[in-house]
Amino acid sequence: MAAADQPRSGSQAVERAIHLLNCFEGDDPELSISELAHLAGIPVSTAHRLAQALVRGRLLEQDQATDRYRVGHGLATLAAPALTRLGIDAAAPHLYALAAGIRITTSLSVVDAKEAVTMLQARPPVHFCAHQLPRLRQPLRSSASGRALLAHLPAAPHLATELDLVRRKGFAVEEFDGVDDPVRSIAVPVFGADKQVWGALSVQARSARLNDELVREILPAMRQIAVRIGGVVQNSSAPGIFTA
């Protein structure tokens, strides 16, 4: 291989390694090497070579009993300064206090392109169930968190009427069919110190539990915590602007 080709080859390896790490962003906490290769769209031998390099770098871990891979402690260590800078760690106590008070998992999301991405979740000490966990990435237009964000961002004209209602109510609602029961989600916007929307605070549960009465009961607490979180997050971490 010519010397001029080596930087391109090295760059490709780095890009593939990053792509491999991004495969763990979904709901599966552990993946086999064949699953990784399929998700990354690369040969199994290449996936194995990259995964082993990431294990040596502590960015991935491999379960010795199952040979499956998961995110390593090294990645969490690298992320810690960013979480501090963005104010996510300062927001965590408020999120956990809300979860304990209303006894429902609370989630904090920001905009990433055209999706609402969950940055932090806090589970309550009691009354937790899997229905309370939203997908880590949700479309802005069809999720409560997404519409709570969109209502305060530049958006497509055809969404104006719907988003105006969200702005006037101060919260967004989304209902969808779960595997066993319908699920309902409620979200309120989080504004930073610069008065610009920073993120969205949401809760999700079975519709039978998260009924209108409970929504009216927990909304004041959600809004109060959203204000407290807005006071500790950094404006520089504000989400990317949505473009239709």
Side-chain angles (χ1 to χ4, degrees):
M1 180 183 296
D5 294 332
Q6 291 178 358
R8 180 183 301 175
S9 177
S11 174
Q12 185 182 57
V14 171
E15 289 176 358
R16 282 181 169 179
I18 293 172
H19 189 42
L20 207 68
L21 286 173
N22 286 336
C23 293
F24 291 90
E25 190 179 49
D27 297 327
D28 293 321
E30 295 188 352
L31 297 169
S32 69
I33 195 62
S34 59
E35 290 169 337
L36 267 176
H38 174 72
L39 290 171
I42 57 178
V44 171
S45 58
T46 302
H48 181 265
R49 183 172 67 254
L50 292 173
Q52 287 299 307
L54 291 169
V55 168
R56 292 192 294 272
R58 298 174 50 250
L59 300 182
L60 289 182
E61 295 176 350
Q62 186 176 21
D63 189 312
Q64 297 303 311
T66 64
D67 285 337
R68 296 175 72 84
Y69 293 88
R70 55 178 175 255
V71 171
H73 290 87
L75 200 58
T77 301
L78 288 175
L83 295 178
T84 299
R85 175 175 56 81
L86 301 179
I88 301 298
D89 59 343
H94 300 296
L95 211 63
Y96 277 99
L98 177 63
I102 66 176
R103 298 184 294 179
I104 303 176
T105 296
T106 58
S107 302
L108 187 61
S109 304
V110 298
V111 172
D112 181 16
K114 296 185 179 182
E115 295 179 310
V117 180
T118 301
M119 299 291 289
L120 180 66
Q121 287 181 337
R123 298 186 184 186
V126 294
H127 295 286
F128 168 76
C129 72
H131 291 290
Q132 298 174 18
L133 297 177
R135 286 178 293 138
L136 295 181
R137 287 183 173 270
Q138 302 182 84
L140 289 177
R141 295 178 177 177
S142 59
S143 65
S145 293
R147 287 202 299 276
L149 287 160
L150 273 181
H152 303 279
L153 292 171
H158 65 274
L159 297 174
T161 302
E162 177 186 351
L163 297 180
D164 182 60
L165 179 61
V166 172
R167 281 191 295 272
R168 286 191 283 110
K169 292 169 57 178
F171 68 95
V173 181
E174 174 69 18
E175 297 195 46
F176 53 93
D177 292 331
V179 177
D180 302 312
D181 300 297
V183 174
R184 195 180 203 187
S185 178
I186 310 294
V188 299
V190 174
F191 297 97
D194 58 358
K195 307 303 181 184
Q196 300 299 309
V197 68
W198 180 92
L201 177 64
S202 66
V203 300
Q204 176 177 301
R206 294 171 56 247
S207 298
R209 179 184 177 192
L210 193 56
N211 53 30
D212 291 344
E213 181 180 357
L214 182 57
V215 169
R216 287 191 296 269
E217 180 181 330
I218 67 176
L219 266 175
M222 290 181 65
R223 287 170 171 149
Q224 183 181 51
I225 293 300
V227 170
R228 292 180 181 176
I229 291 175
V232 298
V233 296
Q234 300 299 312
N235 294 337
S236 60
S237 67
I241 297 299
F242 166 82
T243 55

